[in-house]
Amino acid sequence: AELKVGDWIQIERKDSSFQQEITSMEIDHQQFQRCDKGLAAIKVDQKVKNDDKIFAVRKMDEITFRNRI
C-alpha cells in the first residue's frame, strides 16, 4: 500500500498507541512525497521500537461508514 505526506498512521505498542500525520518522508536521506510500504523513514513525534506495529489510517466516507454498521 502506498503512503504519502499528509496521510495518517497509527503506531501500536504493547501498552499504548498514537496517531499522527506524515509530515516528512525520506529514502536514503532524500525527501519523497510518496512511497510503497516499508521503504521510507517517517519522522514521528514519539519514540518507536522495532516491535511496534505501524498501520495506515484511512478515511471512510459517510456512505461507506453507514454500509459497514
Side-chain angles (χ1 to χ4, degrees):
E2 182 182 76
L3 286 175
K4 61 185 179 303
V5 172
D7 284 350
W8 282 79
I9 55 173
Q10 177 162 327
I11 298 171
E12 293 189 2
R13 302 176 178 144
K14 291 180 181 178
D15 58 354
S16 65
S17 66
F18 69 96
Q19 289 186 4
Q20 80 168 65
E21 183 178 7
I22 297 173
T23 58
S24 175
M25 192 180 308
E26 293 183 3
I27 301 172
D28 293 329
H29 304 287
Q30 292 184 331
Q31 292 280 331
F32 281 83
Q33 293 299 307
R34 59 183 59 217
C35 76
D36 291 327
K37 71 177 183 176
L39 297 177
I42 299 171
K43 184 176 181 179
V44 292
D45 298 331
Q46 298 179 32
K47 190 169 186 168
V48 177
K49 296 182 180 180
N50 285 339
D51 59 343
D52 292 345
K53 295 183 176 23
I54 302 171
F55 299 94
V57 176
R58 302 289 183 211
K59 286 176 141 183
M60 191 179 307
D61 63 48
E62 189 174 336
I63 293 169
T64 304
F65 178 76
R66 281 193 215 146
N67 291 335
R68 292 189 85 193
I69 41 180

